[in-house]
Amino acid sequence: MIEKRQFYINGAWVDPAAPRDMDVIDPATEDTCAVISLGDQADTDAAVAAAKTAFPGWAALEMSERIALLKKLSKIYKERRDDMAEAMRLEMGAPVDLATNGQWGAGAWHMAGFLEALADFEAETPYKEVDRTRLEPIGVCALITPWNWPMNQVVLKVFPALAVGCTVVLKPSEIAPLSSLLFAEMVHDAGIPAGVFNLVNGDGVGVGSQLSAHPDVDMVSFTGSTRAGIAISKAAADTLKRVSLELGGKGANIVFADADEKAVKRGVQHCMNNTGQSCNAPTRMLVERDRYAQAVEEAKATAEATQVGPTSESGRHIGPVVSEAQFNKIQGLIEVGIKEGATLVAGGLGRPEGVNKGYYVRPTVFADVTPDMTIYREEIFGPVLAMSPFDSEEEAISMANDTVYGLTNYIQSGDDAKRLRVARAVRSGMVETNGVGRQNGSPFGGYKQSGNGREGGLWGIEEFCEVKAISGCPWE
Ligand code: NAD
């Protein structure tokens, strides 16, 4: 059993002020795999104070000095790939190959993307010859992260914040804290100065709220549910700190009749990837009527061919969902889907056949889902696809936009002009077409209730900056 009760504050591992244990559950076995401690106001205050004290010195370093330390961190992250993958396998149930490639790889990919973007980053630029604009670090940043892509989110926040000269307090998800604790070890070994990076474990109502309301925190960068994003925004309002939000999604995947023959299979697989626990998952498949019946058959076959299996086994199968609470929530939504009259074409209630332990869910496809149904509207965060037919391009756009979310939409069509036209018309921060993923450094973020932040690349670096205008100091 792993025991990790300490926090990383001011360059050292310290005991919590008032220890409060929490079990970390391995979702594949339902067994306790680790014990952590949840922090209290005193721990939050100590971490924020350390970050505040470290800020002037860190911000005053040359960018190249900070980047050199981040390169060291990146090297250590690569060397400890297997340890990091194992931490994520245990804490959030990613099968070992997904943990090693997709989950660990997302962190490495973003590190590389930031290092590339930083090479083009100019903190000070001339404006109309007389003025100059300067990007300066915003200060002490609270970074609050979820459990579903742990290192993806931690790197998207820690790397740019530190690069521009901010100091940080990371509060990882209490459900999946092991990877972040390991990340703190890496930060330490990279020689990043004391107080620049701090980690306090805790839950949302505790450390999460304390950081959001803290007068010495200048910015909260949050990824997680829309519910928590609203709570954080309210808690942060009294101190008018900047709040950057990456929240939920209910992405539409518009499949036109002229889409390539693998479009439906690709869409289903994308929806099921990471056991459906991705904010940008294409969970509503809208299919042009001419192709709809065939698409439902293809989706059924793809879902039925999706293997569900232990996280310890190598392979392309999907693992369990993260927790009992998520398992129950997903079961509840599948039940509602059936009750509200959607056609269940694959999967359904209960665990997959032959499985009686672990939070495993059956890859599920509903057809004939109408926009008034709960499963069309609510983020399920499990391997559950909702399919609906459409009759015209206008209807597809209107159905895609019929949601409070606006994170990623997907378009499948052989017609280049149509893809671009529809991509421009849908209201989301990202649009991926014909299965082509975004380039590294392309901005990640949402419209509407999917949030207001942009992460990755240059946009993600500027997120952690204030903009200062200086006049009367001519550009040499
Ligand atoms: P969550 O909102 O419950 O928790 C996320 C983090 O916020 C955790 O660290 C948690 O402790 C903290 N938190 C919870 N309530 C808080 C509060 N009142 N104040 C401060 N902090 C609080 O979400 P989750 O269950 O961990 O993650 C799943 C959600 O995250 C999904 O809705 C998903 O769509 C979203 N998500 C979004 C993105 C994105 O970039 N848009 C990426 C991944 C996940």
Side-chain angles (χ1 to χ4, degrees), residues 235-286:
D238 285 341
T239 47
L240 285 177
K241 56 175 62 71
R242 191 183 301 177
V243 180
S244 170
L245 303 170
E246 303 289 346
L247 309 174
K250 190 76 188 175
N253 185 1
I254 304 175
V255 181
F256 286 100
D258 63 358
D260 65 277
E261 60 181 21
K262 294 196 176 134
V264 171
K265 182 177 180 188
R266 187 170 64 233
V268 178
Q269 287 174 336
H270 194 163
C271 172
M272 306 288 170
N273 186 31
N274 202 35
T275 320
Q277 302 169 115
S278 299
C279 47
N280 58 351
T283 49
R284 292 180 294 152
M285 188 181 282
L286 314 180

Side-chain angles (χ1 to χ4, degrees), residues 145 147 153 171 174 222-225 246-248 279 379 381:
T145 56
W147 46 260
Q153 270 104 24
K171 191 211 83 62
E174 62 277 32
F222 171 73
T223 299
S225 62
E246 303 289 346
L247 309 174
C279 47
E379 187 181 49
F381 235 54

Side-chain angles (χ1 to χ4, degrees), residues 397-408:
I397 293 166
S398 141
M399 286 174 77
N401 287 339
D402 183 11
T403 168
V404 295
Y405 295 110
L407 192 58
T408 317

Side-chain angles (χ1 to χ4, degrees), residues 143-149 152-153 156-157 171-175 202-212 220 222-233 235 245-250 277-280 322 326 329 379 381 405 407 430 444-446 450-451 455:
L143 314 177
I144 303 178
T145 56
W147 46 260
N148 59 334
W149 286 93
N152 181 64
Q153 270 104 24
L156 276 171
K157 298 185 190 307
K171 191 211 83 62
S173 166
E174 62 277 32
I175 296 169
D203 52 19
V205 288
V207 177
S209 308
Q210 291 154 12
L211 285 169
S212 309
V220 181
F222 171 73
T223 299
S225 62
T226 296
R227 173 202 61 77
I230 294 168
I232 288 169
S233 302
L245 303 170
E246 303 289 346
L247 309 174
K250 190 76 188 175
Q277 302 169 115
S278 299
C279 47
N280 58 351
V322 76
Q326 283 297 116
K329 180 187 158 199
E379 187 181 49
F381 235 54
Y405 295 110
L407 192 58
M430 296 167 285
F444 187 106
S450 290
E455 293 194 318

Side-chain angles (χ1 to χ4, degrees), residues 95-431:
V96 58
D97 287 355
L98 173 68
T100 312
N101 300 315
Q103 289 282 0
W104 173 87
W109 194 67
H110 290 308
M111 285 182 183
F114 280 125
L115 290 173
E116 189 189 326
L118 284 162
D120 293 331
F121 179 78
E122 295 287 350
E124 207 161 308
T125 45
Y127 182 68
K128 291 189 178 173
E129 288 165 22
V130 187
D131 283 11
R132 59 178 72 206
T133 53
R134 218 177 116 71
L135 294 172
E136 296 189 342
I138 193 161
V140 174
C141 300
L143 314 177
I144 303 178
T145 56
W147 46 260
N148 59 334
W149 286 93
M151 276 302 110
N152 181 64
Q153 270 104 24
V154 165
V155 173
L156 276 171
K157 298 185 190 307
V158 172
F159 241 64
L162 296 195
V164 299
C166 294
T167 55
V168 305
V169 179
L170 171 65
K171 191 211 83 62
S173 166
E174 62 277 32
I175 296 169
L178 303 180
S179 52
S180 287
L181 287 161
L182 179 57
F183 187 84
E185 284 179 29
M186 297 179 185
V187 167
H188 186 83
D189 293 346
I192 289 176
V196 169
F197 171 97
N198 306 277
L199 179 151
V200 181
N201 278 319
D203 52 19
V205 288
V207 177
S209 308
Q210 291 154 12
L211 285 169
S212 309
H214 206 291
D216 290 335
V217 170
D218 299 293
M219 171 178 179
V220 181
S221 174
F222 171 73
T223 299
S225 62
T226 296
R227 173 202 61 77
I230 294 168
I232 288 169
S233 302
K234 288 182 179 167
D238 285 341
T239 47
L240 285 177
K241 56 175 62 71
R242 191 183 301 177
V243 180
S244 170
L245 303 170
E246 303 289 346
L247 309 174
K250 190 76 188 175
N253 185 1
I254 304 175
V255 181
F256 286 100
D258 63 358
D260 65 277
E261 60 181 21
K262 294 196 176 134
V264 171
K265 182 177 180 188
R266 187 170 64 233
V268 178
Q269 287 174 336
H270 194 163
C271 172
M272 306 288 170
N273 186 31
N274 202 35
T275 320
Q277 302 169 115
S278 299
C279 47
N280 58 351
T283 49
R284 292 180 294 152
M285 188 181 282
L286 314 180
V287 187
E288 195 160 6
R289 181 107 34 203
D290 288 353
R291 189 150 167 192
Y292 181 70
Q294 185 198 336
V296 171
E297 283 312 307
E298 286 170 18
K300 173 180 162 69
T302 309
E304 286 173 353
T306 302
Q307 301 291 315
V308 182
T311 58
S312 54
E313 278 177 18
S314 186
R316 299 186 62 190
H317 55 280
I318 60 171
V321 295
V322 76
S323 63
E324 186 178 9
Q326 283 297 116
F327 179 86
N328 290 337
K329 180 187 158 199
I330 295 161
Q331 296 300 314
L333 283 163
I334 294 175
E335 206 172 342
V336 167
I338 296 167
K339 276 196 187 134
E340 289 183 353
T343 309
L344 182 67
V345 297
L349 287 167
R351 291 185 171 88
E353 231 175 79
V355 179
N356 52 21
K357 208 162 195 253
Y359 307 125
Y360 293 96
V361 174
R362 300 170 69 190
T364 296
V365 176
F366 281 103
D368 311 324
V369 178
T370 51
D372 56 316
M373 290 182 187
T374 307
I375 58 169
Y376 189 94
R377 314 208 73 79
E378 270 193 34
E379 187 181 49
I380 299 175
F381 235 54
V384 182
L385 178 71
M387 300 182 75
S388 319
F390 68 84
D391 290 303
S392 67
E393 188 177 314
E394 294 69 34
E395 191 187 13
I397 293 166
S398 141
M399 286 174 77
N401 287 339
D402 183 11
T403 168
V404 295
Y405 295 110
L407 192 58
T408 317
N409 284 303
Y410 299 80
I411 303 163
Q412 321 299 327
S413 164
D415 179 338
D416 294 349
K418 180 159 63 179
R419 280 203 316 280
L420 185 56
R421 199 165 58 233
V422 177
R424 285 175 171 154
V426 290
R427 303 265 306 146
S428 56
M430 296 167 285
V431 183

